[in-house]
Amino acid sequence: MTTHGRSSCTSILIGKKASLDGSVIIGRNEDSRTAWPKHLAFHHRQAGAQTFKSHDNKFTIDLPKEAFAYSSTPEWTKKYGLFEEDGINEYHVAMSATESAYANERVLAIDPFDAEKGLLEEAMVTIVLPYVKTAQEGVKRLGEIVEKYGAAESNGILFADRDEAWYLEIGSGHHWVAQRIPDDSYTVVANQLSIQEIDFNAPANFLYSAGLQEFVYEHQLWPKEAKFNWREIFGTRSESDLHYNTPRVWYGQKLLTPSVKQEPQSFDLPFIQKADRPLSVQDAQTVLASHYSDTEYDLTNPKNAGQASFRPIGVATTQESHLLQLKGEDMYHWLAMGVTAQSVYIPFFPQGTKVPYMWGNGKVDYSPNSAYWIFKLAGVLVDRNWGKYGKELANAQTEAKEKVLRLRHEYDQKLHADPSQATAIADEANAKMAKTVTDIYNKLISSLITQQTGDSPLSFQMDPNL
């Protein structure tokens, strides 16, 4: 099996009673490389027999004859796989397939499967999201595929509908569990298997692969008399976790539940947590854009340059960040291209059919007609001196956020007044929101380039006394 070097991500799931407005919210940062563009895509409903064939290995599967419309964020190239990663379908089901979690190699070794033919992350959204009508249906469909074909890597997958949020983890080639996030709670997940105790007698809250308990006990992975703890059986407690994973979960919980004091290098951080206040989608955005602000670990602090203690949530390798928000008939596919801390989330209407200009463009080399590269260029210019240019970036972000929220509210009212025109309204709104934000960022880029012409090491000032 070959891959193109995908790395990691951070995810967040929020139950409807934990959110400020009764929304179910799921999302994450998609991290891979510092220059690896993503696109926005809208897929129409389709009918007819189809077969999915992986671009990265020999995995093949026949698909149901009817595929529902859905949004997604595919790679700029299909060479290594589609990696559609996230989206919302017409039945108000949201899904996000995370980067590989680190699984226990010993467990994988005793659950043999053909990695050359196993399910990869690149296929998950494509073969599941268009074919389900609820979050639980999504969990069950993916679970059945994993059991039958095996998974070539360990993953965490987020599902949501208007009522529920579910998190599924693949622990070995054929075994998985999924937990419903309590309505009054949230979870922040890094690259570790995170689900803890499983209640096999609570099907409304836990789903799992057939024969999971028998597999664990047969191979003496856990004592029968102890409570079945998925994280302890299939997860890791490595030195790298203490620098790469647990600090991200700690900081996410620190932002949302500051009343609970915890340590960044604790292996006992809870999977399910309750916030100190009702959470907005902007709170979730703050988590995904964070880099240990107001702590000694902040990477924007010059003293940490090149010697960071902990891997932050927001990093230079972020390709895009998304939050999928569902409430009643409203659907929001919030999308921020590039580094989350330097970008802006746009609440796209997933029922659209036309990709806004520049949001379907961009290859691995910089081009000015790509939304991804506009946000990346602004970030690169700010990175030259964050202390000097960070405020100008923040001002542009504030302006963009305010304008795009007004536009979304305006078009929400239009959609509610005339739902028969949903597609046309969504397409018009998506185009306006996208152009508004990219115009603001192009203005920011122009200002930064103009200012930085004076930052050259070849600058020379004549002494006025000479």
Side-chain angles (χ1 to χ4, degrees), residues 6-180:
R6 305 190 71 79
S7 56
S8 60
C9 73
T10 307
S11 304
I12 185 169
L13 300 93
I14 300 173
K16 62 183 179 182
K17 291 183 180 179
S19 69
L20 187 62
D21 64 351
S23 297
V24 177
I25 303 169
I26 64 172
R28 68 182 180 89
N29 291 348
E30 182 186 357
D31 305 332
S32 179
R33 299 181 184 180
T34 56
W36 202 253
K38 299 290 293 190
H39 296 167
L40 174 64
F42 298 111
H43 301 272
H44 302 278
R45 181 184 277 235
Q46 294 184 13
Q50 298 180 61
T51 298
F52 177 88
K53 295 182 179 180
S54 173
H55 291 265
D56 202 23
N57 70 353
K58 298 176 183 178
F59 175 72
T60 301
I61 185 173
D62 291 328
L63 299 171
K65 292 183 178 180
E66 183 179 27
F68 309 136
Y70 69 104
S71 58
S72 70
T73 57
E75 302 276 72
W76 69 274
T77 176
K78 296 180 181 179
K79 181 179 180 180
Y80 304 102
L82 293 175
F83 290 98
E84 293 197 288
E85 295 301 312
D86 59 279
I88 303 175
N89 74 19
E90 62 183 285
Y91 281 95
H92 296 70
V93 180
M95 179 179 175
S96 179
T98 76
E99 308 288 357
S100 297
Y102 297 117
N104 187 324
E105 294 182 5
R106 178 173 64 93
V107 175
L108 289 173
I110 59 176
D111 189 12
F113 60 96
D114 188 348
E116 287 293 325
K117 298 180 181 179
L119 174 66
L120 287 165
E121 177 200 337
E122 65 115 339
M124 290 181 180
V125 169
T126 308
I127 66 173
V128 174
L129 183 58
Y131 307 103
V132 297
K133 296 182 180 180
T134 68
Q136 281 200 49
E137 279 188 26
V139 170
K140 292 174 181 178
R141 173 167 170 78
L142 180 59
E144 289 171 358
I145 292 171
V146 170
E147 290 181 51
K148 181 177 180 179
Y149 295 93
E153 54 194 350
S154 175
N155 289 88
I157 301 90
L158 294 65
F159 295 89
D161 56 33
R162 287 171 281 200
D163 295 311
E164 301 180 340
W166 283 79
Y167 185 62
L168 182 153
E169 290 186 325
I170 302 170
S172 69
H174 295 275
H175 286 295
W176 59 274
V177 299
Q179 182 172 352
R180 183 181 186 275

Side-chain angles (χ1 to χ4, degrees), residues 169-324:
E169 290 186 325
I170 302 170
S172 69
H174 295 275
H175 286 295
W176 59 274
V177 299
Q179 182 172 352
R180 183 181 186 275
I181 307 305
D183 291 343
D184 63 354
S185 303
Y186 73 89
T187 185
V188 174
V189 183
N191 285 82
Q192 294 170 287
L193 294 177
S194 300
I195 296 175
Q196 294 174 293
E197 291 183 6
I198 307 300
D199 186 346
F200 292 98
N201 297 312
N205 296 313
F206 294 94
L207 296 170
Y208 46 88
S209 53
L212 173 61
Q213 291 170 283
E214 292 82 357
F215 173 81
V216 167
Y217 299 140
E218 177 186 350
H219 294 285
Q220 300 180 353
L221 301 176
W222 195 249
K224 288 185 178 181
E225 62 275 11
K227 291 184 178 180
F228 196 98
N229 191 308
W230 170 265
R231 182 196 293 181
E232 295 298 331
I233 299 167
F234 287 85
T236 56
R237 282 176 170 259
S238 68
E239 181 68 22
S240 64
D241 286 330
L242 297 177
H243 297 275
Y244 197 78
N245 293 318
T246 63
R248 283 184 276 161
V249 177
W250 163 77
Y251 193 66
Q253 294 189 4
K254 175 180 171 65
L255 289 173
L256 304 182
T257 316
S259 62
V260 176
K261 305 304 178 184
Q262 302 175 123
E263 295 300 320
Q265 292 186 303
S266 170
F267 282 123
D268 298 318
L269 298 171
F271 173 58
I272 301 296
Q273 185 62 280
K274 292 186 178 180
D276 285 353
R277 64 184 188 283
L279 301 177
S280 67
V281 71
Q282 285 75 28
D283 289 319
Q285 293 173 10
T286 297
V287 171
L288 295 183
S290 66
H291 43 82
Y292 302 118
S293 299
D294 300 320
T295 76
E296 60 185 293
Y297 313 114
D298 190 351
L299 263 66
T300 65
N301 188 325
K303 77 178 182 66
N304 289 325
Q307 53 181 9
S309 300
F310 302 141
R311 191 267 203 208
I313 291 174
V315 286
T317 54
T318 301
Q319 298 170 270
E320 57 84 17
S321 180
H322 55 268
L323 285 160
L324 311 175

Side-chain angles (χ1 to χ4, degrees), residues 403-420:
K403 288 185 175 180
V404 84
L405 285 177
R406 283 198 294 270
L407 282 170
R408 176 71 205 218
H409 178 73
E410 173 189 337
Y411 280 92
D412 271 338
Q413 302 309 304
K414 291 182 178 180
L415 185 61
H416 293 160
D418 190 3
S420 67

Side-chain angles (χ1 to χ4, degrees), residues 334-394:
W334 297 85
L335 181 60
M337 288 291 193
V339 179
T340 320
Q342 299 172 329
S343 187
V344 171
Y345 286 91
I346 298 177
F348 288 111
F349 286 83
Q351 57 267 59
T353 59
K354 298 178 181 178
V355 176
Y357 175 63
M358 294 195 290
W359 291 77
N361 298 340
K363 297 182 179 180
V364 73
D365 293 320
Y366 168 79
S367 59
N369 68 339
S370 161
Y372 170 88
W373 278 114
I374 286 175
F375 291 105
K376 289 295 290 189
L377 176 56
V380 167
L381 293 170
V382 169
D383 285 342
R384 293 191 68 186
N385 191 328
W386 196 302
K388 184 176 181 179
Y389 302 115
K391 185 176 181 180
E392 192 165 353
L393 168 66

